[in-house]
Amino acid sequence: MNLLLTLAVGLLLQLQPTDDVPKGYQGTFAITNARIETVANGTIERGTVVIRGDRIEAVGPDVAVPAGAEVIDGTGMTVYPGMIDSGTHLGLAEIGAVDETNDYREVGDLNPQMEALTAVNPNSVLIPVTRVSGVTTVIAEPSGGLFPGVAALINLVGYTPEQMHAGGVRLMVLEFPTTGRRGFFDRRSDEEIEKAAEKALKKLNDIWDRAVLYAKIDSAYHAAKNPPRKPEHVPEMEALLPVVRGEMPLMIKVNREKDILNAIEWVKERGLKNVVFSEVAEGWRVADKLAEAGIPCLVGPVLSIPTRDSDRYDKAYANAGLMQQAGVKVALRTGEAENVRNLPFNAGFAAAYGMGREEALRAVTLNAAEIFGIAGDYGSIEPGKKANLFVADGDPFEPKTQVHHVFIDGFRIPMTNRQIELYREFLHRDEGRLQPVEVRPASN
Amino acid sequence: MKKPAFFLGFALLMATAVTAQPQTGSVLIKNATVLTVTNGTLENTDVLVRDGKIARIGQGLSAPGGVEVVDATGKYVMPGIIDAHAHIALSAVNEATDPVTAMVTMEDVVNPYHIGIYRALAGGVTTSHLMHGSANVIGGQNETIKHRWGYTNPDDLRFEGAPRTIKFALGENPTRVHGNRGGGSGKAKVPATRMGVEAVLRDAFEQGLRYKEAWERYEAERRRNPRAVPPPYDLRLETLADILRGDILVHCHSYRADEILMLLRVLKDYGIEKVTFQHANEAFKVAPELAAFGAYASVFSDWWSYKFEVYYSTAYNAAILTRNGVVTSVNSDSGELNRHLYHEAAKSQRYGGLTDDEALALITINPARQLGIDDRVGSIEVGKDADLVVFDGHPLSVYAIPVMTFVDGVRYFDRERDPDDIRLHVDPEAAVDASRFVTDEDWHALEATAGWLFQF
């Protein structure tokens, strides 16, 4: 009994919280003797990156280490810009099948006033699991219906959504009406499908016309010298104001060939300039049209099956590359929540099936930053930019490569998470712990 | 439909009609880096295949008359990849009507026209274990197939001689389907908890045991009395009796460590020795117990958090299990992952630093052992089936592309000769298949009606 008591007390002592909970921290850092893939200005074979506060201070082969800097020896390592996933549910979803933990889908079709940033959970267990891969920044997007809300770009560090918000990037999401059959389970007749498509498109156009009218009224009200009374407040229309005025980008989610063409037409008819397409699974079929329209595309997931049985087996892998080669500006997205860490592998497959490694790296770094209008701060290793970067012992798209250091917003990120802690605990479970118990028949 | 696809299908159809046996082939693969899996890596090596079997492995081999030579200089050859958990090429998955449905079998629902077979080949996968779903504690029997694309008789896809296997399922899925846990409209029945799952298992085994004993008594009596009356035949109980006889391998959908231990206890009570835990996201927590029992684990590379019972997962699962001596495979459970299992296996190098051979074993010899077919496939050895894949780079590299896939020495996939449209059958009335565009609403609608969703 005494022995048991001692054991129990011993276990309790082990469970006491300690001071050494790993936390990220800012400071002055120098990563020395490293290969540096700047993405913007080629590769430096041996050089130093200096980080001070939230910024990269200096980059180059002959950069001096500032006094008092924490030095990270990068011998045999390469420094890369933090990867950006251009479409995820990260922060908005915790456990797929548990509805209470998912905050990306509001009730109804028209929800442009919903802000993804509001529902981002900075303490999601998924975030530390993601960022040790070198993915530092993601689009957290709402989905479903027609206008599901406003997506936000977030850095994967911070205690509040505001701290996480990257470059102030917000995009209005539009799930473009789909015109075709949804799959084998869709038993509607062709006429029914066509009618439903017309109805959905008409609904979108009606909403848009209302938003345009609302914007006119709003402008007139603000221009009037003696405004009579405030116009009626319509939250949905209010939220669409900056989009109608071209101040907020519109992220149009569209996949099917015919829908992409419709969306291009729709954008043209309305004279919209600030538009990006997202997902774009059949983009390769109309890549030249997309290039001609000059609409950048957030493409993916790359690791997916072709959209049609009649397609060549590798079309999903090749899609992003085919679009890029046709002249479309492409960034990549996983559409994931818990496995956003697979972004580098999506990029690797895109690279292997035609895009090439260099373009694939751009598609998860600088291209994304340029599309979101934050290339002055993100997407490459350059002095003055945000210190979002990581250090790996090889090509980050290769599964064998280990990522050793990650910096986000200048914070040196603890290279651990629950999955790594479980590994450390259970790799050799019985060492210094309870001995394995033989499985006995329950009847004994 | 394009001509090459049609021609291939037609040619194979004719072959079927004439020989009534799936075709075998002969080929000499020259100058490859051969990843044998069981005997290390052989540089600049040739593999000679004769009549569907690996005949010789060595250097400077020459091709017998009429045997085609494939120059694989700079390329890699590995054993055909084996997926221990797939649902491709099936027209039904879940008989979700009772907690025990041992009498049904996937053999009856193999769909040789399913494009997933060809996509698997293009990913270097030559064998899939087609599993029943996870709605029932004891589900249906599974079917092991070879990806012989072009044959339209389901029997021609069978991995002839592969042991019978059966699907079990623990945890959230059977308790949700039958116990209405988490809502539901039907009449709830046991199991609604993990306690109930064990009770259902024990009850089923007791019934099977009585059935088996009744038949044994009858067989004994028949020798003395030719007019002895046999017990009533019952396919469900007969299958349970076969499990108790050790004639069927158990493949059990499971996630949590506690339920894995529960099944080990139950199996021990009934003297059942062969079990593979499928998914088994928490197997790493009880790796020493699994190793001691001799139980196997077939896991995902990195899937987690799609439901509550996989929230406490780690992508290091395969590495922890391997390091603890558990025979472990990485499976797909998905028509998408199925075609890049080599990449899924490679993730065990990022998450746990497995060696190349250990990582490759996860998708070759280990799943072969779990399916009881390791005497036939899973490594490159003389005498084994010539199920082989040629990659243009090391298969554990993200940049490697499978360029040729052989089953029984027949080249079913060749990236150089790969037509855009490879379908075997085109239904002019069929809609464009575009199930990737399923929306949230569609999923909810499907969930309400479709039992096949309960795969994970």
Side-chain angles (χ1 to χ4, degrees), chain A residues 35-40 42-45 77-81 83 133 317 320-321 324-325 330-332 343-367 379 381 390-399 401 403, chain B residues 350 397-401:
Chain A
R35 198 173 155 270
I36 305 159
E37 284 205 31
T38 68
V39 176
T43 297
I44 298 162
E45 283 309 324
M77 308 257 195
T78 304
V79 184
Y80 296 92
M83 288 181 277
S133 66
Y317 300 157
Q324 178 257 326
Q325 277 147 26
V330 168
L332 297 180
L343 179 68
F345 303 143
N346 276 260
F349 268 73
Y353 286 82
M355 197 179 210
R357 190 185 163 280
E358 197 178 324
E359 281 302 329
L361 183 60
R362 286 184 80 92
V364 291
T365 54
L366 194 54
N367 278 11
I381 310 278
F390 65 97
V391 185
D393 59 16
D395 181 342
F397 299 165
E398 286 285 21
T401 298
V403 175
Chain B
R350 175 162 293 193
S397 164
V398 78
Y399 304 112
I401 295 177

Side-chain angles (χ1 to χ4, degrees), chain A residues 177-255:
Chain A
T178 184
T179 51
R181 205 173 290 276
R182 285 164 168 165
F184 64 90
F185 53 86
D186 187 343
R187 301 287 162 86
R188 295 174 298 170
S189 72
D190 289 352
E191 297 89 89
E192 283 173 310
I193 287 171
E194 196 147 326
K195 263 191 199 149
E198 274 170 27
K199 204 175 143 192
L201 204 58
K202 187 176 179 305
K203 186 175 174 181
L204 169 61
N205 286 331
D206 288 350
I207 290 167
W208 194 262
D209 291 347
R210 276 178 66 204
V212 170
L213 179 62
Y214 191 90
K216 278 183 191 159
I217 293 168
D218 181 81
S219 299
Y221 171 76
H222 283 100
K225 287 212 178 81
N226 296 306
R229 65 180 172 87
K230 280 186 176 175
E232 189 193 345
H233 179 75
V234 184
E236 295 86 346
M237 296 299 129
E238 194 73 24
L240 287 171
L241 267 179
V243 188
V244 168
R245 289 174 175 155
E247 296 155 9
M248 181 192 271
L250 183 62
M251 182 203 281
I252 300 181
K253 316 205 75 166
V254 62
N255 279 304

Side-chain angles (χ1 to χ4, degrees), chain A residues 94 105 307 395 398 418 441, chain B residues 269 305 311 397 399 433 441:
Chain A
E94 193 71 16
R105 172 74 170 107
T307 52
D395 181 342
E398 286 285 21
R418 193 164 74 196
Chain B
D269 277 353
S305 206
Y311 193 43
S397 164
Y399 304 112
D433 179 87
E441 284 81 358

